Amino acid sequence: LRAYSLLSRDPHTQMFSVHRLVQAVLRDGMDADAEKQWKQRVVMAVNEARPDLDDVRQWDACELWVPHAQVCAIWIEQEQMMTPEAAFLLNVAGYYLDDRARYEDAEALYVRALSIREQVLGEEHADTATSLNNLAEMYRKQGKHLEAEQLCVRALVICEHVLGREHPSTRLVRRNYVGLLRKMGRNKDAKRVEGS
């Protein structure tokens, strides 16, 4: 395959690339169940291959990773993958795109991750609160304060109930909510939330 340029390996990233024709032939030869299984495996693999999205030194690797995550997002939707792993991938890819101010792409991923988490993990799960918080923060950055506030309130209630008031995740959500209230000019409410 390498001799005919149907398979190549990038010397810098060590990632393999399979020619689109080879991909098409392999997919055409699969039945629907096999294709779904392979798509689920790819979602798991892309999750595992995720670079550190917070490390600026890995941003080049992130830019290589995110198109794969976006293809997985399409497959997650097509195959109705309702797993925590699928939601995690969507949330993380959304976080990266949000951080790069690619809000439209990020929003679609965040919303889908939230929907999966609500259905699979429940509306009172810490991961659901994480999705709510991430979506709220993205809305806050865009000036969509009312949408952000509704999500912040839900996230804070879940965190306090499930994790406790002093858990680091609860404190983060509370801090984000207080910042939003201050940005909205509601300092009295911010102090109340901060002190509660």
Side-chain angles (χ1 to χ4, degrees):
L1 291 174
R2 289 177 76 178
Y4 292 103
S5 298
L6 298 175
L7 178 69
S8 60
R9 185 178 202 163
D10 185 307
H12 302 293
T13 64
Q14 299 301 314
M15 293 177 72
F16 283 100
S17 176
V18 178
H19 193 282
R20 290 185 188 276
L21 288 174
V22 174
Q23 293 177 34
V25 168
L26 289 172
R27 272 199 303 266
D28 284 348
M30 288 184 203
D31 64 28
D33 287 338
E35 186 176 351
K36 183 173 184 168
Q37 282 184 334
W38 276 106
K39 286 177 179 178
Q40 290 171 335
R41 289 176 184 153
V42 170
V43 168
M44 300 291 276
V46 170
N47 259 334
E48 289 299 317
R50 180 186 73 260
D52 183 353
L53 305 177
D54 292 322
D55 184 352
V56 75
R57 295 168 298 184
Q58 292 193 27
W59 281 1
D60 287 342
C62 291
E63 281 299 317
L64 293 172
W65 173 83
V66 87
H68 298 283
Q70 289 174 309
V71 169
C72 287
I74 293 167
W75 291 347
I76 289 166
E77 188 67 31
Q78 285 174 348
E79 301 295 339
Q80 291 298 298
M81 291 182 208
M82 302 296 285
T83 65
E85 294 82 12
F88 182 81
L89 177 69
L90 295 169
N91 191 67
V92 170
Y95 181 83
Y96 177 76
L97 293 168
D98 176 8
D99 224 26
R100 302 299 165 279
R102 291 157 60 183
Y103 298 128
E104 189 175 322
D105 293 333
E107 181 176 15
L109 298 176
Y110 276 156
V111 167
R112 185 67 182 133
L114 176 59
S115 174
I116 292 171
R117 285 178 166 170
E118 286 175 331
Q119 292 177 54
V120 174
L121 303 173
E123 292 189 10
E124 295 292 319
H125 194 278
D127 289 346
T128 302
T130 297
S131 285
L132 289 164
N133 183 63
N134 289 347
L135 188 56
E137 277 297 285
M138 188 194 69
Y139 286 154
R140 180 194 57 78
K141 289 182 220 172
Q142 295 178 75
K144 298 178 180 179
H145 297 146
L146 295 177
E147 294 94 329
E149 183 179 14
Q150 293 171 1
L151 298 170
C152 279
V153 169
R154 280 186 61 201
L156 185 57
V157 168
I158 294 167
C159 285
E160 286 180 345
H161 181 256
V162 174
L163 302 172
R165 293 187 37 71
E166 297 307 316
H167 190 277
S169 294
T170 306
R171 289 197 306 250
L172 172 68
V173 171
R174 186 180 302 113
R175 188 170 47 246
N176 290 344
Y177 184 30
V178 166
L180 173 66
L181 290 170
R182 286 199 172 118
K183 191 167 184 109
M184 295 169 73
R186 293 171 48 194
N187 292 326
K188 226 180 209 182
D189 291 334
K191 285 182 183 180
R192 179 186 48 76
V193 171
E194 211 168 26
S196 62

